Amino acid sequence: MPQKSLATGLAATLLMLTANAQDSEQPLPFPMVPAPEDAGAIALYDGAAPGSENTELEEIWRNAGTERWATNVTVPTLLPVLPEDPDTSRAAVIVVPGGGFQFVSMDNEGYPIAEWLAERGVAAFVLKYRTMETPTDQADFTAFMSALWSPQPGDAQIDVTQGIPFAVADAQTALNLVRANSEAWGFDADKIGMLGFSAGAMTTLGVTLADGDAAAKPDFIGYIYGPMLATEVPEGAPPMFNAIAADDPLFLGQGFGLIESWQDAGSSVELHYYQSGGHGFGSYKRGVPSDGWFDQFMLWMGAQGLLAPPVDTE
């Protein structure tokens, strides 16, 4: 998969900010900011995450202008955002933000999405998964992201696919945790889905297509502006809601192979191909067609029977 397909669509903005900072006394982009307390967040592992036992990295949060990013994540967590009345739908969704496996876009594709779900009666869980190592120094981080999004001759190639295994492993662990605690948290064990954005969509797909029994896979998935290339899909794949904009700079020309793969496997898929919205529309409202994706996702969940209240058999 081309490296550019894993970026976040902010290359032009990054280069502009970097150039302005270098040509003037303007501050560099991506300054460090305090991490939110997230007192309810649950560590996914007892002790160090498998494969990260010897890391000495410390998690760093950065201001990316309109949102905050979590970088150098080595302690993955799951933040429950539960509805006031769990019996409204008895459904649950694990929200998996994007970030090219270099950061986790918690403000755009994490917290607000979970809050929207909880407001609709759906139990939500924000996954902060492990990311690849990025520079601590602000100038070095800016240069690193510039080389990632718009590499110039002589720049070292950054293989972002190295971040996929840890992200998928963390998402699998999160899914197992949510399913095991379904009764305690107030939803049905067979109505647990995943909603992933960009790299989070890739992570969601990785969990969905991994070998293993059905209990280790989501019951339904939302796949938001992820790669659209064809892939091998086994029979029994869960229903998919897919949303992407026609002007997404990362996936232009890829076609709809993923949709066809889902159909060839005999699984249900709904595609929303918006005229405009770019990449990373997430929780932003910009007056473009993609603004309506969440309402359409909820309508789709309803059509799958996922929002129906439990039947009283007494």
Side-chain angles (χ1 to χ4, degrees), residues 267-280:
S267 294
S268 170
V269 58
E270 177 165 318
L271 169 66
H272 290 261
Y273 186 52
Y274 299 108
Q275 174 182 326
S276 59
H279 189 80

Side-chain angles (χ1 to χ4, degrees), residues 212-225:
D213 58 38
K217 303 177 186 299
D219 301 306
F220 60 95
I221 63 173
Y223 188 88
I224 314 300
Y225 44 80

Side-chain angles (χ1 to χ4, degrees), residues 81-85 88 112-124 294 298:
V81 182
L82 303 179
E84 292 183 6
D85 180 4
T88 299
I113 307 300
E115 291 170 358
W116 291 353
L117 287 163
E119 289 170 358
R120 302 289 189 95
V122 178
F294 182 78
M298 296 306 299

Side-chain angles (χ1 to χ4, degrees), residues 197-235:
F197 301 82
S198 194
M202 296 177 60
T203 301
T204 296
L205 189 65
V207 174
T208 303
L209 301 182
D211 295 333
D213 58 38
K217 303 177 186 299
D219 301 306
F220 60 95
I221 63 173
Y223 188 88
I224 314 300
Y225 44 80
M228 297 294 286
L229 298 173
T231 190
E232 185 174 347
V233 178
E235 292 185 5

Side-chain angles (χ1 to χ4, degrees), residues 54-108:
N54 297 320
T55 184
E56 296 181 356
L57 290 176
E58 293 186 4
E59 185 173 306
I60 296 172
W61 284 64
R62 295 186 180 277
N63 181 352
T66 57
E67 59 185 281
R68 293 169 300 173
W69 296 344
T71 68
N72 289 342
V73 179
T74 59
V75 180
T77 61
L78 193 67
L79 177 66
V81 182
L82 303 179
E84 292 183 6
D85 180 4
D87 287 336
T88 299
S89 74
R90 302 290 297 180
V93 170
I94 298 172
V95 179
V96 191
F101 304 105
Q102 310 305 302
F103 59 87
V104 185
S105 179
M106 299 291 283
D107 279 345
N108 177 27

Side-chain angles (χ1 to χ4, degrees), residues 278-303:
H279 189 80
F281 46 81
S283 62
Y284 295 132
K285 301 294 185 181
R286 297 167 172 161
V288 294
S290 62
D291 287 356
W293 78 266
F294 182 78
D295 289 336
Q296 288 153 351
F297 176 67
M298 296 306 299
L299 286 171
W300 175 82
M301 283 188 65

